[in-house]
Amino acid sequence: MSMKRVILTILSLAVITSVNMPAQAGFIADKKAQIQQARIEKNCYKDIENLFAKQDEYASKYDVENLKSLYGDNFINNDGYNKEVYFSLVKETWETYPDITYKTKIKDIKLNGNYATVETYETAVATTSADEDLINDIGELNSFSNCRYHLEKLSEHWVITGEDVLDEYSTLRYGAARFVKMDLSSPSFVSAGSPYTATLKIDLPPENIVIASINREKIVNPAPRPEEKYRRLPEEQVLERVFTANEDNLNEYNVVSIGLTQAEPISDEDVRIFMNGLAFIMTRVNVVPKNNFAKVGEK
């Protein structure tokens, strides 16, 4: 009797084991796949972080050939610039600011198979020689931007295939303007053909004479030369202009030119007015084309 019970128990265990083994095998296989996928994703994150570290390194060393190798031949940015135009502008920037340095902070990485999107916060700093026609002092450039890059994995390497500049704010200051609080505000996104306001605010005592102009430029290459129309800022030190976004599917820059003046007595009756500070501020306005096929309540 006991022998029969042992045999029945063994048979029962054999049946249970034969039933559970495929499920356990599937569970183990799933776990292995998850671990493998996690390892792949971890390596992808590391590779992408290394790519952007190299981008900063090559850009700060003005190594254009190695920098270009990080970009795909099909690269395009949200201003419509392809790889050739984009790097021609990079070279122009280096010629204008030969000591420029870059720093990129990755805010977010999203993976989708062999594709990825990377959001970054970027800064650039540089100096420029004195503008002898206006002010005998060096200029300080500070640029800040929030970008979204599009990446593709080709073979074992990630390359940059696209760039969207979401926000961009740059200042170039000479002389006393380096120490004055000033700000230009304008929308980051606006619909094509819609009005928007650009506002300049400067924190200076009202007795200071400040002249400034606010212009709008389409982002094209080569860039146009706007006609400066300077106005004296009112006592509240605020200047505004209303623009209408273009309908040419082109993004825009708002560009402000600012001159700070100082009075120096020459005699009891005469004073000499001279410029002791000069600044330029630029902000990006991304123009969203109208979608004439999107209508409310229609399918």
Side-chain angles (χ1 to χ4, degrees):
M1 180 66 102
S2 61
M3 183 61 71
K4 287 183 179 179
R5 188 174 296 152
V6 171
I7 293 172
L8 287 173
T9 302
I10 293 173
L11 288 173
S12 299
L13 288 172
V15 171
I16 292 170
T17 303
S18 65
V19 171
N20 288 341
M21 278 185 65
Q24 291 174 354
F27 175 78
I28 293 171
D30 288 344
K31 283 298 180 184
K32 286 184 176 179
Q34 290 176 12
I35 293 171
Q36 179 65 16
Q37 183 61 31
R39 186 181 294 113
I40 292 171
E41 289 185 359
K42 184 178 180 180
N43 289 337
C44 285
Y45 284 120
K46 186 177 179 181
D47 290 342
I48 290 171
E49 289 170 353
N50 288 338
L51 183 147
F52 281 91
K54 288 180 180 178
Q55 179 180 246
D56 278 356
E57 177 189 351
Y58 296 150
S60 295
K61 290 181 177 178
Y62 321 116
D63 186 345
V64 68
E65 293 305 321
N66 274 320
L67 185 61
K68 286 171 71 174
S69 72
L70 305 178
Y71 289 70
D73 292 337
N74 59 339
F75 171 83
I76 193 79
N77 72 0
N78 64 326
D79 295 323
Y81 294 164
N82 60 21
K83 186 174 180 179
E84 181 181 3
V85 174
Y86 183 83
F87 277 95
S88 71
L89 295 174
V90 169
K91 289 180 181 179
E92 286 181 20
T93 301
W94 293 348
E95 290 170 2
T96 306
Y97 304 102
D99 66 347
I100 192 168
T101 58
Y102 302 87
K103 187 175 181 180
T104 301
K105 179 181 179 181
I106 295 177
K107 298 174 64 177
D108 186 45
I109 300 175
K110 288 186 173 64
L111 294 173
N112 181 20
N114 288 330
Y115 301 93
T117 57
V118 181
E119 190 169 346
T120 64
Y121 182 73
E122 303 179 19
T123 59
V125 295
T127 59
T128 186
S129 57
D131 190 335
E132 296 179 357
D133 294 333
L134 296 171
I135 186 169
N136 190 25
D137 201 352
I138 63 170
E140 294 180 356
L141 172 75
N142 286 274
S143 181
F144 312 88
S145 60
N146 180 203
C147 302
R148 182 189 298 120
Y149 289 88
H150 305 276
L151 278 62
E152 182 178 359
K153 192 173 185 181
L154 302 177
S155 298
E156 296 301 317
H157 302 285
W158 290 93
V159 294
I160 299 169
T161 57
E163 178 195 35
D164 299 324
V165 184
L166 307 178
D167 293 288
E168 188 175 4
Y169 192 97
S170 300
T171 62
L172 176 59
R173 303 179 184 222
Y174 297 84
R178 290 179 292 164
F179 313 106
V180 175
K181 184 179 180 181
M182 54 184 70
D183 183 62
L184 173 63
S185 61
S186 55
S188 299
F189 287 81
V190 67
S191 298
S194 298
Y196 68 90
T197 303
T199 304
L200 170 68
K201 294 181 180 180
I202 297 180
D203 187 9
L204 272 176
E207 62 268 18
N208 283 263
I209 299 175
V210 182
I211 58 173
S213 69
I214 304 179
N215 291 295
R216 185 270 306 271
E217 301 176 5
K218 297 177 184 178
I219 302 180
V220 295
N221 187 52
R225 260 189 190 278
E227 293 184 5
E228 304 287 358
K229 294 183 179 179
Y230 286 96
R231 302 176 186 178
R232 180 174 177 176
L233 264 67
E235 290 186 2
E236 58 269 23
Q237 305 285 27
V238 175
L239 182 63
E240 288 187 341
R241 279 199 68 182
V242 177
F243 297 106
T244 299
N246 73 86
E247 297 188 53
D248 299 326
N249 297 340
L250 295 171
N251 297 321
E252 301 180 353
Y253 284 130
N254 286 160
V255 182
V256 166
S257 302
I258 303 163
L260 308 181
T261 62
Q262 183 175 338
E264 181 181 78
I266 300 175
S267 64
D268 292 339
E269 298 179 354
D270 296 323
V271 295
R272 181 173 70 93
I273 304 295
F274 64 95
M275 187 174 293
N276 69 334
L278 182 65
F280 304 93
I281 307 176
M282 184 182 73
T283 60
R284 165 181 285 267
V285 178
N286 288 301
V287 178
V288 181
K290 287 184 178 179
N291 186 342
N292 296 318
F293 298 95
K295 298 180 180 179
V296 176
E298 295 187 14
K299 295 182 180 180

